[in-house]
Amino acid sequence: MLGDHIRSIRKGRGITLKALAQTTGLSIGYISQIERGLTDPSLSTLRKLSAALDVPTYLFLGDENQPGLTTRKENMILMSQPNSSVHYQILSPMPGAEFVPQSMMTRFELDPHSVDGELPVIHPSEEIVLVEKGELDVIVEGKSIHLCAGDTTLICSNLPHILSNPTDETVMGISVFTPAVWFPSTHRTRAQGERTP
């Protein structure tokens, strides 16, 4: 159970509920409810907890009963947040005890006239973006690259970027990260002189 897993990691690191609450900005009561399985945390909450506990977010997302190098459609992990305009599906295998993938592939859907976050994201991996359906603006260091269905672009590591859907239709695409990027090594920031679209 997810809550038991989080509690086990927290106690194993000697972190109190109070300290974890202070680090994450979450309330003690809310974290306690998560650990007791009384509420399902959002992806944003899992990211805060994983960063504070210094473990990759995928440890909270993976299914230990589904090891292996083949990922069936019904077992793919879906990630979204309440009231979020972007939805992700992890297509590649999750790391396990015997194998850690060097790349990570995700499918994304971005709602019309929306961006994938309030601020540009920075991560230490190269990212290849393929648009499957619709149109997408990939804004890297404030410069916009317009992609149509079938187009790709490569985003170099450690460059602030944001995905924007300027159209009236949902855009669908695939991102490939090499090496695989896990959320504690990813952060959003406003680059100097950069404005969020």
Side-chain angles (χ1 to χ4, degrees), residues 70-147:
T70 301
T71 307
R72 303 296 179 190
K73 181 178 179 180
E74 61 271 15
N75 294 326
M76 290 179 180
I77 295 172
L78 299 174
M79 299 188 302
S80 62
Q81 300 180 54
N83 304 316
S84 175
S85 61
V86 65
H87 311 279
Y88 297 99
Q89 182 180 37
I90 299 180
L91 306 178
S92 50
M94 299 301 286
E98 298 180 3
F99 179 75
V100 177
Q102 297 302 299
S103 296
M104 183 173 101
M105 179 182 290
T106 65
R107 173 173 284 121
F108 62 85
E109 293 186 14
L110 185 58
D111 292 344
H113 300 288
S114 65
V115 293
D116 69 340
E118 295 179 4
L119 296 172
V121 67
I122 298 175
H123 50 68
S125 301
E126 288 185 347
E127 178 180 356
I128 298 174
V129 179
L130 163 69
V131 175
E132 296 180 294
K133 176 184 175 185
E135 298 181 32
L136 180 71
D137 288 334
V138 180
I139 302 164
V140 183
E141 292 191 302
K143 298 177 183 176
S144 181
I145 304 161
H146 187 76
L147 302 178

Side-chain angles (χ1 to χ4, degrees), residues 1 61-68 70 75 95:
M1 180 184 288
L61 298 173
D63 185 347
E64 296 179 359
N65 297 320
Q66 296 292 336
T70 301
N75 294 326

